[in-house]
Amino acid sequence: ALCSRLSSMRAASSCTNGQTGCHFLSLANLFDRVIQHSARMHGISNDLHSEFELYFLPSKNQIGRVSRNCHTSTILTPNGKENAQRIAREELTEVILKLLVAWREPLWHFHQNMAQHREFNNFSSNKSLEMSEMVHELRRGVQKVVEKMQMLGVINSSLGNLGSPEALLASDRAEWRLMNDYDLLYCFRRDSNKIQNYLKILKCRIIPEHGC
Amino acid sequence: MEFAGTREETTLGPHFTDCISRDQETFRCWWSPGSLQNLSSPGALRVFYLKKDSPTSAWKECPEYIHENRECFFDANHTSVWIPYCVQLRGQNVTYFNEDDCFTVENIVRPDPPVSLNWTLLNISPSGLNYDVLVSWKPPPSADVGVGWMRIEYEIQYRERNATNWEALEKQPHTQQTIYGLQIGKEYEVHIRSRMQAFVKFGEFSDSIFIEVTEIPSKDYTVPLTLVLIFGVVGVLTVIMLIVISQQQRIMMILLPPVPAPKIKGIDSELLKKGKLEELNFILNGGGVDGLPAYATDFYQEEPWVEFIEVDEEDAEGGDKEDNYNSDTQRLLGLPHRNIEGFSAISHPDDDSGRASCYDTDLPEHDTQRLMASLLPGQPEDNETCLDAPASETGEKPLIQTQIGGPQTWVNTDLYAQVSNVMPSGGVVLSPGQQPKIQENTSGSERETQKGGKQNEDVEGIKEQKRNEPQFQLFVVVPEGGGYTAENNTQQTSTPPSTSVPGAGYQTIQPQPMETKPAATGDANESPYILPEPSQPQLFTPVADYTVVQELDTHRSLLLNPPPSQSPSLCQPQHPLKVPMPVGYVTPDLLGNLTP
């Protein structure tokens, strides 16, 4: 199922190149695919986090021991349903993209560490790789959705700068290098849940008639 | 999240029992005063929480108390998802805080159970024993699924009415699911619970519903079916009966073909039925085309079932029909005036009638050497006794007492000829007493014939003699013990035929070999048992057809005629009893000797 989603993402991205023969998916389908993708990403992050807790940190509740905030704490995110429904669509979309951008490199490095440590079994190592790839694919997918929305006039066109180098540089503050592995997993688990939630809310705000 | 306070109950201070969110927008926390009862009064303990959304956050008191439940309720304004919360209890001067009491709201979400749980029957298995059920429900109203704020997956569990263990189906996010393989007649209990996708904590179970499907009254289908079957079978049977009755004759012919009754050539069975004896006699007497022996009619005219020996008409030389005796007996006995082939010609029709099965008709006539043992009751005892000395299974030269005579000998045969033997080739041997001319024939020399011509080692010398004198009458002893040889041959016939070549049909009629032969026949000597007949070709004195036992000799042989004193016998018979016995009687003493 993941491969189908990835291929659909690639298909969506290749359509923007203006190739002949590729058909345009409706916005609702795009949203559905993206939401499915984010759900899967969140599931993997949950599994990895639970495994990490099982292997390295047997004590139950580690929330109080989170020494640092996540590096994405600086990103203002709506912390409730009403807040998420109140902010503008563009803001919500921007939050999603920021989060996705912020996690691309940390996950990549995390996977590198996992492969080197060999303390995890291959199952976990594959999951970390999958996770890092997913983040990247999801970001591209959400960008396609944004472009589609902008094309349809759903949102303003002022969000085009997210793929710009400034946004990338802004997110790449290397704060994530100070986090240990457990904090990284915990933070990403939380953020992937946010992404999933925000995407669902965004879809139901824009296209409420399709599966909300 | 589990609170540490739940681990020990003995000396436990105030602690939080649980914090739960149902909709990810609000949450509640419950606390317990512990074993210190003096703090159980409302207001004795206060709840404070810390919301770590900024480094400068501070502890705040519970926004809403529900003292009767010892519950602190956080409404939507005070609830923030993805932000860590910590709660603590404060007494008068004491703060009860545990690090484990920190959580984030999304991790404490336990959705409410679904509502409107119901089921519909999908199908029933062909065997009628199982069925499938589709269970459907609605998501909990407290969970805002429509907005997409909560993504819930459901788990159905079911069990039989009185079972203890639940069967859990796979979790899935849709609002309906199929339960397969329920059994008819059993009542099932089903309930459902929900949880957030990719999270751990389940909500509570819903109220149970009960599923039961009883036997479907399939009589609607089976009753007409059985009726149709019954009527169909009855109809088919009726048709068959009609066919059978109408075609009775034909069917009887096909199923039970009539057994061909024995028929006499040329005789209409109607004659026999109607009892026209005169016509029948005429026919049977040869008046017609048939050449039946006349004497047979006297015996069998009232027994039409008797099957007569068919004698081929061609064999009757000269076609002496008027001379029935000659032709008949000649045919019975074969045509001796013919060459040797005539012996085999006896059985021209070769319909195997009246012939014992052990006779081999395939023997080449000329080359076969046959062991002949004559069952002649009138053999002189010296011959018999003389056989004692050389009597042995192996290497014994069987004597052949043959009556050799020309065809003219047959002319003088009586009306009734005592058949001594039947030849393998089908010839019939008559008792020698009827042909007094036989003695003239020098071919009364010993001859040996071996059945199959295989065991000729011992009788080679004799073979030549046989060949030189082809004309001889072969006396073949009835292998299975003729009627009048019961006493003599029962013992002999029992053992030797078993060892002899099948179809040999030779038996020793001499009682002497009775003792020796059984002992000797057990050996590998497969030669037909040899009659220890006298080596000398004796001229047989004509004897009557029926002879009485006169004496017993030492070897318990039945002496039919007292040995003539002038007989040139090599051996001197020794009689245990030299008292001449009255003719025709067997004294008990002799009888005792008879029995082995």
Side-chain angles (χ1 to χ4, degrees):
Chain A
L2 175 62
C3 294
S4 62
R5 291 194 207 101
L6 289 175
S7 62
S8 69
M9 290 301 170
R10 293 193 194 93
S13 58
S14 63
C15 279
T16 58
N17 296 334
Q19 292 178 0
T20 58
C22 67
H23 53 278
F24 290 96
L25 299 173
S26 66
L27 188 60
N29 284 341
L30 270 177
F31 260 115
D32 285 338
R33 294 168 193 273
V34 168
I35 288 168
Q36 281 179 10
H37 208 160
S38 67
R40 171 125 179 101
M41 190 177 69
H42 173 62
I44 294 178
S45 72
N46 193 30
D47 293 340
L48 263 181
H49 177 261
S50 303
E51 267 184 54
F52 207 92
E53 252 184 349
L54 200 63
Y55 279 118
F56 296 96
L57 302 164
S59 61
K60 292 184 179 180
N61 200 341
Q62 301 297 324
I63 296 175
R65 298 204 180 110
V66 173
S67 57
R68 299 178 180 79
N69 288 332
C70 301
H71 70 291
T72 54
S73 301
T74 56
I75 304 173
L76 289 176
T77 59
N79 290 328
K81 181 180 79 173
E82 293 172 1
N83 291 342
Q85 283 185 322
R86 270 196 222 118
I87 67 173
R89 301 170 186 174
E90 295 83 359
E91 265 187 69
L92 193 55
T93 312
E94 192 175 345
V95 164
I96 295 169
L97 284 171
K98 279 183 183 176
L99 285 172
L100 287 169
V101 168
W103 275 107
R104 186 185 168 195
E105 250 191 79
L107 287 179
W108 174 248
H109 282 270
F110 175 78
H111 165 66
Q112 296 295 328
N113 288 339
M114 284 298 112
Q116 288 177 0
H117 283 182
R118 295 185 187 179
E119 290 156 349
F120 280 131
N121 50 11
N122 291 334
F123 177 68
S124 301
S125 176
N126 292 340
K127 280 196 171 179
S128 61
L129 176 64
E130 193 179 359
M131 209 162 59
S132 67
E133 287 179 352
M134 268 184 168
V135 168
H136 183 64
E137 291 289 339
L138 189 59
R139 187 179 77 90
R140 292 171 60 193
V142 173
Q143 275 180 333
K144 296 302 169 198
V145 172
V146 167
E147 290 171 7
K148 186 87 174 180
M149 285 195 296
Q150 287 174 341
M151 186 179 69
L152 293 176
V154 175
I155 58 176
N156 292 332
S157 306
S158 63
L159 291 175
N161 58 352
L162 281 178
S164 65
E166 298 92 59
L168 288 174
L169 285 173
S171 64
D172 190 14
R173 288 184 194 165
E175 284 183 357
W176 53 269
R177 298 179 193 272
L178 303 176
M179 288 194 297
N180 56 12
D181 288 337
Y182 178 74
D183 291 344
L184 192 140
L185 284 176
Y186 173 80
C187 290
F188 181 68
R189 178 168 165 256
R190 187 191 71 177
D191 287 345
S192 60
N193 194 19
K194 281 186 182 178
I195 292 166
Q196 185 186 12
N197 252 330
Y198 297 154
L199 280 171
K200 186 82 175 185
I201 290 175
L202 190 63
K203 185 216 171 187
C204 290
R205 280 174 66 176
I206 294 173
I207 318 164
E209 58 272 8
H210 293 280
C212 275
Chain B
M1 176 188 66
E2 291 186 10
F3 289 86
T6 57
R7 292 175 198 145
E8 294 179 359
E9 294 292 340
T10 53
T11 54
L12 209 58
H15 59 275
F16 284 95
T17 54
D18 207 353
C19 285
I20 292 177
S21 170
R22 290 166 57 195
D23 50 5
Q24 208 175 0
E25 300 174 44
T26 63
F27 69 96
R28 301 164 189 270
C29 283
W30 294 271
W31 77 89
S32 163
S35 54
L36 302 175
Q37 291 299 323
N38 52 358
L39 296 174
S40 60
S41 59
L45 285 172
R46 297 164 67 184
V47 177
F48 282 85
Y49 72 95
L50 177 64
K51 186 174 171 184
K52 293 184 180 179
D53 51 356
S54 70
T56 62
S57 56
W59 288 91
K60 297 175 185 175
E61 194 165 357
C62 174
E64 186 173 343
Y65 281 101
I66 303 175
H67 288 283
E68 49 272 14
N69 293 336
R70 296 199 190 97
E71 172 185 321
C72 179
F73 174 70
F74 293 80
D75 59 1
N77 295 331
H78 295 90
T79 304
S80 298
V81 191
W82 301 297
I83 291 177
Y85 279 82
C86 291
V87 288
Q88 65 181 197
L89 285 170
R90 292 183 187 178
Q92 290 290 340
N93 292 326
V94 183
T95 299
Y96 307 95
F97 176 67
N98 194 339
E99 266 194 5
D100 289 340
D101 295 338
C102 293
F103 55 89
T104 54
V105 176
E106 72 271 13
N107 286 325
I108 62 167
V109 175
R110 294 182 188 264
D112 285 339
V115 295
S116 305
L117 188 62
N118 59 2
W119 64 277
T120 55
L121 179 66
L122 275 183
N123 53 24
I124 299 180
S125 68
S127 64
L129 299 176
N130 298 316
Y131 59 97
D132 302 334
V133 161
L134 180 68
V135 186
S136 62
W137 58 89
K138 291 182 181 173
S142 61
D144 196 350
V145 185
V147 179
W149 179 240
M150 288 177 67
R151 295 146 310 282
I152 298 178
E153 60 185 14
Y154 306 96
E155 185 190 54
I156 285 188
Q157 292 182 2
Y158 70 96
R159 68 176 177 187
E160 289 182 26
R161 188 62 187 272
N162 294 324
T164 55
N165 295 330
W166 290 90
E167 292 272 347
L169 299 183
E170 195 174 346
K171 293 173 277 294
Q172 49 87 34
H174 307 288
T175 56
Q176 62 185 19
Q177 195 165 11
T178 306
I179 303 179
Y180 297 99
L182 297 179
Q183 294 186 15
I184 287 191
K186 289 189 180 179
E187 191 177 5
Y188 292 92
E189 186 181 356
V190 177
H191 62 188
I192 191 171
R193 62 179 180 176
S194 52
R195 77 168 182 188
M196 292 279 287
Q197 282 183 6
F199 283 95
V200 180
K201 295 177 189 272
F202 275 101
E204 287 184 356
F205 279 105
S206 64
D207 292 336
S208 296
I209 62 168
F210 295 94
I211 298 177
E212 186 175 8
V213 174
T214 57
E215 286 281 345
I216 291 182
S218 59
K219 286 188 179 180
D220 301 335
Y221 298 107
T222 59
V223 168
L225 193 62
T226 52
L227 281 178
V228 165
L229 278 177
I230 289 170
F231 280 120
V233 168
V234 167
V236 167
L237 283 177
T238 307
V239 168
I240 290 175
M241 287 301 299
L242 286 175
I243 292 174
V244 166
I245 290 170
S246 64
Q247 303 287 335
Q248 208 171 13
Q249 296 297 326
R250 272 202 207 167
I251 289 176
M252 289 303 292
M253 288 292 293
I254 294 170
L255 289 179
L256 304 173
V259 176
K263 294 201 173 175
I264 301 170
K265 190 160 125 181
I267 292 184
D268 190 5
S269 58
E270 293 299 320
L271 284 179
L272 298 177
K273 287 181 189 175
K274 294 172 186 175
K276 296 181 181 177
L277 295 179
E278 293 77 15
E279 295 178 4
L280 196 59
N281 277 333
F282 176 69
I283 292 172
L284 289 178
N285 287 330
V289 194
D290 309 314
L292 293 173
Y295 61 85
T297 62
D298 294 337
F299 280 117
Y300 302 118
Q301 66 178 352
E302 283 147 13
E303 292 160 304
W305 47 265
V306 171
E307 185 173 306
F308 290 97
I309 300 170
E310 273 202 16
V311 181
D312 198 351
E313 194 139 1
E314 300 170 343
D315 296 342
E317 281 219 353
D320 299 334
K321 299 270 170 74
E322 58 276 14
D323 191 356
N324 291 332
Y325 298 154
N326 298 334
S327 58
D328 295 337
T329 47
Q330 281 178 12
R331 290 188 211 103
L332 276 177
L333 297 176
L335 300 172
H337 60 273
R338 297 175 75 174
N339 50 12
I340 293 181
E341 290 86 5
F343 287 109
S344 62
I346 290 175
S347 60
H348 297 301
D350 202 16
D351 58 351
D352 202 16
S353 58
R355 197 190 315 155
S357 60
C358 60
Y359 287 102
D360 189 359
T361 59
D362 297 335
L363 294 175
E365 298 84 11
H366 302 280
D367 298 333
T368 52
Q369 308 256 343
R370 298 172 189 154
L371 259 182
M372 303 303 300
S374 66
L375 191 56
L376 308 176
Q379 289 187 6
E381 60 180 355
D382 54 349
N383 296 331
E384 304 168 357
T385 55
C386 286
L387 291 174
D388 292 342
S392 64
E393 277 294 321
T394 59
E396 177 64 22
K397 296 183 185 176
L399 281 182
I400 298 176
Q401 296 174 350
T402 61
Q403 289 184 354
I404 300 165
Q408 64 276 11
T409 60
W410 297 108
V411 181
N412 296 329
T413 56
D414 299 334
L415 179 61
Y416 299 99
Q418 176 186 352
V419 178
S420 302
N421 293 317
V422 183
M423 287 180 0
S425 61
V428 175
V429 175
L430 300 182
S431 61
Q434 298 166 1
Q435 286 112 21
K437 293 184 184 178
I438 294 172
Q439 303 171 10
E440 300 170 358
N441 204 319
T442 57
S443 61
S445 59
E446 303 168 1
R447 300 187 187 248
E448 282 186 9
T449 60
Q450 288 184 350
K451 200 71 175 183
K454 293 177 184 173
Q455 295 97 6
N456 297 339
E457 300 91 354
D458 301 329
V459 296
E460 289 178 359
I462 302 180
K463 288 182 190 175
E464 300 172 359
Q465 296 179 359
K466 287 183 190 172
R467 292 198 185 97
N468 294 333
E469 302 182 24
Q471 292 184 351
F472 58 94
Q473 298 171 6
L474 303 178
F475 295 88
V476 181
V477 179
V478 174
E480 292 305 323
Y484 56 88
T485 62
E487 285 182 349
N488 297 334
N489 296 323
T490 45
Q491 293 182 0
Q492 293 176 355
T493 56
S494 60
T495 48
S498 61
T499 57
S500 61
V501 175
Y506 292 105
Q507 296 176 0
T508 58
I509 55 170
Q510 303 301 326
Q512 285 178 355
M514 241 182 350
E515 297 90 9
T516 59
K517 285 227 164 90
T521 48
D523 301 340
N525 186 4
E526 293 183 357
S527 63
Y529 54 93
I530 302 166
L531 273 184
E533 294 179 356
S535 57
Q536 298 179 4
Q538 298 294 328
L539 297 179
F540 302 138
T541 57
V543 296
D545 295 334
Y546 300 97
T547 313
V548 299
V549 176
Q550 300 292 340
E551 289 181 13
L552 288 182
D553 65 353
T554 54
H555 296 277
R556 294 187 182 176
S557 55
L558 299 174
L559 305 179
L560 301 176
N561 290 327
S565 58
Q566 67 280 6
S567 64
S569 65
L570 299 178
C571 304
Q572 290 298 329
Q574 297 175 0
H575 306 282
L577 297 173
K578 296 199 175 177
V579 177
M581 297 299 300
V583 177
Y585 294 99
V586 176
T587 62
D589 300 335
L590 290 181
L591 188 62
N593 292 333
L594 283 178
T595 58

